Amino acid sequence: MSRSWLVCLLAIMACLLASTHGLPLQENPLQEDEKSGGRIVGGYATDIAQVPYQISLRYKGITTPQNAYRHRCGGSIIAEDKILTAAHCIIGTVPSQYKVVAGTNYQTGSDGVITNVKEIIMHEEYFSEFAYNNDIAILVVDPPLPLNNFTIQTIKMATEQPLEGAVSKISGWGTTSPGGTSSNQLLAVDVPIVSNDVCDKDYENFGDETYRITASMLCAGKRGVGGADACQGDSGGPLVVRDVLQGVVSWGNSCALATHPGVYANVAYLRSWIDAKLAQL
């Protein structure tokens, strides 16, 4: 099987799996009557100055070049020309299908700074052995983003695991309920870190045996309570603890369930891969 056919097959499989278990690959279109004051599940409206590392990754289909770019996923600025996002956001696509928008509070319009994606570097072992394993990717953008330490700023990446119970902040333009409409206004939500051992037990009977919590993953959520979580359209975006990027929004069982925390790519665990790729660039 050729590499191109393999990539296409992986993309199709990822889409099918995401539609039933994980956060979907496609963006959720903003409905005409949606108000900007909506809330991410259990969260609150925020300002880009509070999360200046956040970007909107906008996409259009390769067969529909006449269409406008639309919000697909989030991402985090790790250098003036590098973005960290989720592998499931970009698998089976090419750089010309994307624009990165930084310094904006909104997922629509042309405010903020817009730049091009020049190169996509996806983890070679994404989805290996377990679903959404190693769900990480680096985007190289050109021209570089004009960092201003106010609305466009890099974020430090974790080198150590966050403590269980530490409060994390997740931000993005995702849906405000499972399968609902997305928010035009940037939103954030605060949830505690859940240990991988506990999280793995929560997912023990979810889906099939490939849906387990691995070392490349990190969990956060209000167990036994629910009501606060990232949701569809937040994929690829940041999970931050004390101004350090600890996670990348990856997958989960629906959104904000009391029984299943959200699952994130574990930046500290994946840091060696990230650093090796950055060094090559």
Side-chain angles (χ1 to χ4, degrees):
M1 182 181 291
S2 71
R3 182 178 178 84
S4 61
W5 278 106
L6 180 60
V7 169
C8 291
L9 179 60
L10 286 172
I12 294 169
M13 290 175 62
C15 287
L16 291 172
L17 287 167
S19 66
T20 56
H21 294 298
L23 303 180
L25 303 185
Q26 298 298 329
E27 77 281 358
N28 290 274
L30 185 70
Q31 292 190 357
E32 293 293 332
D33 61 351
E34 185 177 10
K35 303 296 190 294
S36 63
R39 295 290 183 270
I40 196 172
V41 184
Y44 50 88
T46 191
D47 189 272
I48 193 63
Q50 301 299 313
V51 287
Y53 44 81
Q54 171 86 54
I55 63 94
S56 170
L57 181 60
R58 300 186 187 175
Y59 163 91
K60 66 177 175 181
I62 200 166
T63 60
T64 53
Q66 72 280 5
N67 290 355
Y69 289 88
R70 302 182 68 176
H71 176 79
R72 180 184 180 101
C73 282
S76 300
I77 303 170
I78 57 172
E80 63 178 3
D81 61 345
K82 311 284 190 320
I83 306 296
L84 198 66
T85 190
H88 81 256
C89 288
I90 52 81
I91 187 171
T93 61
V94 295
S96 62
Q97 292 179 266
Y98 295 101
K99 298 288 184 182
V100 165
V101 184
T104 181
N105 281 313
Y106 305 101
Q107 68 148 295
T108 60
S110 57
D111 63 314
V113 174
I114 303 172
T115 187
N116 306 307
V117 175
K118 182 174 70 173
E119 185 176 359
I120 296 173
I121 303 166
M122 188 182 82
H123 199 296
E124 300 85 353
E125 296 183 3
Y126 167 61
F127 228 97
S128 63
E129 190 175 0
F130 293 101
Y132 297 98
N133 208 21
N134 304 307
D135 191 8
I136 202 83
I138 297 170
L139 309 178
V140 181
V141 300
D142 183 49
L145 293 168
L147 304 179
N148 59 24
N149 293 320
F150 178 50
T151 58
I152 304 176
Q153 185 174 324
T154 61
I155 186 168
K156 179 181 179 181
M157 292 183 289
T159 56
E160 297 180 351
Q161 301 281 119
L163 296 176
E164 181 178 6
V167 177
S168 67
K169 175 184 284 189
I170 308 151
S171 51
W173 291 271
T175 60
T176 57
S177 63
T181 57
S182 60
S183 172
N184 192 32
Q185 165 70 42
L186 181 61
L187 307 175
V189 64
D190 302 322
V191 292
I193 298 295
V194 176
S195 76
N196 278 26
D197 287 343
V198 169
C199 191
D200 191 47
K201 290 179 181 177
D202 289 339
Y203 277 92
E204 189 172 9
N205 297 314
F206 172 73
D208 57 38
E209 66 277 4
T210 66
Y211 284 88
R212 302 303 297 266
I213 306 304
T214 72
S216 78
M217 301 175 192
L218 182 71
C219 296
K222 296 184 176 180
R223 294 183 70 251
V225 178
D229 199 2
C231 210
Q232 289 91 354
D234 291 317
S235 291
L239 177 146
V240 174
V241 178
R242 295 185 178 180
D243 298 320
V244 174
L245 183 64
Q246 294 281 0
V248 173
V249 180
S250 182
W251 67 283
N253 181 10
S254 187
C255 307
L257 298 182
T259 53
H260 293 83
V263 187
Y264 304 78
N266 187 334
V267 172
Y269 179 84
L270 294 166
R271 185 64 188 272
S272 59
W273 179 88
I274 297 168
D275 288 347
K277 295 303 178 183
L278 294 178
Q280 291 175 9
L281 292 169

